[in-house]
């Protein structure tokens, strides 16, 4: 017997968005590339894209070819830190988690993506990668400087508490982030990082600062496409019905990124059509 199915509505093409993977994990004796499900859902549902992995293969990734095929890149957070020689700093303390394969992939990828006009959203480690790739520096341990409030997560607290309100930020008027979220009330973000911006890279523009003055968001001046990075984690509580509450600010940020990726996707489709005509 042939079962009749009602025809499905044809869905508009979605942008192809690459997600940066880490390499420091293993499954048994087998190295694996990883990124959290929360980033996949942020891309596929929050940004309305198709999520694909960018493996941490360093020179094994043909970056020029990759960025020509992508409509966006999301640079994820990670337990690891960028190796400090990339920003001309002294070595890390023993026991600091690093991922040199990821460094070797994402730092040149950022340059290639900017040059190709691929929208980028950097989150936490991704925020720090963008600053370092473009020539900026980092504080390796914010809490030892005596200048900043506590930004580290309390790992003994429940997960929902760790990703809840950490501190407020001040969004800089007239910037890219202010165009995404222009409401006057204080904006709360989560805070789960030990490192932070020491010197902002040339060409980057501050989009938001914490109560203590630490840079919490920036954009790239003159970039041909959406190029924004945030120190907090908007991928966690952006959606309605989340167990610990919905953050509409996070949803707006992911939506703006998704719209930028969709614009590039449509432009690439037009270009392919013109070539095939």
């Amino acid at each position: 017997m042939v079962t009749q199915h009602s025809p499905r509505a044809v869905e508009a093409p979605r942008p192809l968005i690459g997600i940066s993977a880490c390499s420091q994990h293993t499954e048994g004796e087998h190295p694996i590339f990883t990124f959290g499900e929360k980033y996949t859902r942020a891309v596929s549902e929050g940004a309305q894209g198709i999520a694909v992995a960018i493996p941490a293969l360093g020179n094994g990734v043909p970056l020029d070819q990759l960025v020509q095929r992508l409509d966006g890149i999301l640079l994820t957070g990670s337990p690891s830190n960028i190796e400090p020689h990339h920003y001309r700093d002294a070595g890390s303390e023993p026991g600091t988690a690093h991922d040199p394969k990821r460094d070797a992939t994402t730092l040149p990828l950022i340059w290639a993506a900017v040059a190709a006009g691929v929208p980028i959203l950097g989150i936490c480690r991704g925020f720090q990668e963008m600053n370092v790739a473009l020539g900026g520096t980092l504080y390796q341990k914010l809490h030892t400087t005596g200048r900043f409030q506590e930004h580290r997560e309390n790992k003994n607290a429940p997960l929902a508490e760790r990703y809840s309100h950490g501190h407020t930020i001040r969004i800089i008027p007239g910037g890219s982030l202010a165009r995404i979220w222009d409401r006057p009330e204080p904006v709360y973000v989560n805070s789960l990082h030990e490192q932070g911006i020491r010197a902002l890279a040339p060409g980057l523009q501050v989009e938001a600062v914490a109560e203590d003055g630490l840079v919490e968001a920036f954009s790239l001046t003159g970039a041909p496409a959406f190029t924004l990075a945030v120190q907090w984690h908007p991928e966690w509580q952006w959606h309605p019905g989340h167990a610990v509450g919905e953050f509409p600010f996070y949803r707006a940020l992911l939506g703006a990124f998704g719209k930028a990726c969709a614009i590039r996707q449509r432009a690439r489709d037009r270009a392919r059509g013109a070539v095939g005509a």
Side-chain angles (χ1 to χ4, degrees), residues 218-241:
F218 60 71
S219 62
L220 178 60
T221 304
F226 181 106
T227 307
L228 184 68
V230 299
Q231 182 62 81
W232 62 88
H233 285 265
E235 82 285 354
W236 182 247
Q237 293 159 274
W238 64 270
H239 49 87

Side-chain angles (χ1 to χ4, degrees), residues 38-39 77 123-124 163 190 192 231-236 250:
K38 59 183 181 175
Y39 295 109
I123 295 175
C124 199
Y163 277 85
N190 48 51
L192 302 98
Q231 182 62 81
W232 62 88
H233 285 265
E235 82 285 354
W236 182 247
Y250 295 173

Side-chain angles (χ1 to χ4, degrees), residues 179-196:
R179 289 191 289 274
I180 294 170
W181 192 257
D182 61 356
R183 302 186 188 182
E185 67 267 18
V187 176
Y188 283 89
V189 297
N190 48 51
S191 188
L192 302 98
H193 57 101
E194 182 176 57
Q195 301 196 332

Side-chain angles (χ1 to χ4, degrees), residues 67-220:
V67 296
Q68 293 303 322
R69 288 169 167 80
L70 291 178
D71 300 308
I73 293 173
L74 187 144
L75 299 168
T76 63
S78 171
S80 69
N81 294 314
I82 303 165
E83 290 192 304
H85 70 82
H86 289 294
Y87 50 95
R88 304 169 302 282
D89 204 358
S92 302
E93 289 186 4
T96 302
H98 289 302
D99 190 343
K101 291 181 181 178
R102 172 163 170 163
D103 292 347
T105 306
T106 54
L107 298 181
L109 172 62
I110 290 163
W111 277 103
V114 168
V118 179
I120 307 173
L121 175 60
I123 295 175
C124 199
R125 190 195 208 270
F127 164 95
Q128 295 165 9
E129 286 171 334
M130 289 174 67
N131 186 54
V132 169
L134 299 172
T137 63
L138 304 175
Y139 289 109
Q140 291 192 46
K141 292 186 178 297
L142 289 170
H143 60 281
T144 66
T145 64
R147 297 183 54 190
F148 304 104
Q149 66 190 60
E150 182 61 80
H151 286 269
R152 292 175 294 175
E153 66 177 307
N154 178 5
K155 294 185 178 180
N156 295 320
L159 189 64
E161 183 179 325
R162 281 182 268 162
Y163 277 85
S164 190
H165 292 161
H167 57 73
T168 60
I169 58 169
R170 179 173 64 87
I171 297 175
I172 306 302
S176 298
L177 195 56
R179 289 191 289 274
I180 294 170
W181 192 257
D182 61 356
R183 302 186 188 182
E185 67 267 18
V187 176
Y188 283 89
V189 297
N190 48 51
S191 188
L192 302 98
H193 57 101
E194 182 176 57
Q195 301 196 332
I197 299 291
R198 180 192 291 266
L200 203 62
L204 295 183
Q205 173 179 302
V206 177
E207 295 284 346
V209 295
E211 300 154 355
D212 55 14
L214 185 68
V215 176
E216 288 277 332
F218 60 71
S219 62
L220 178 60

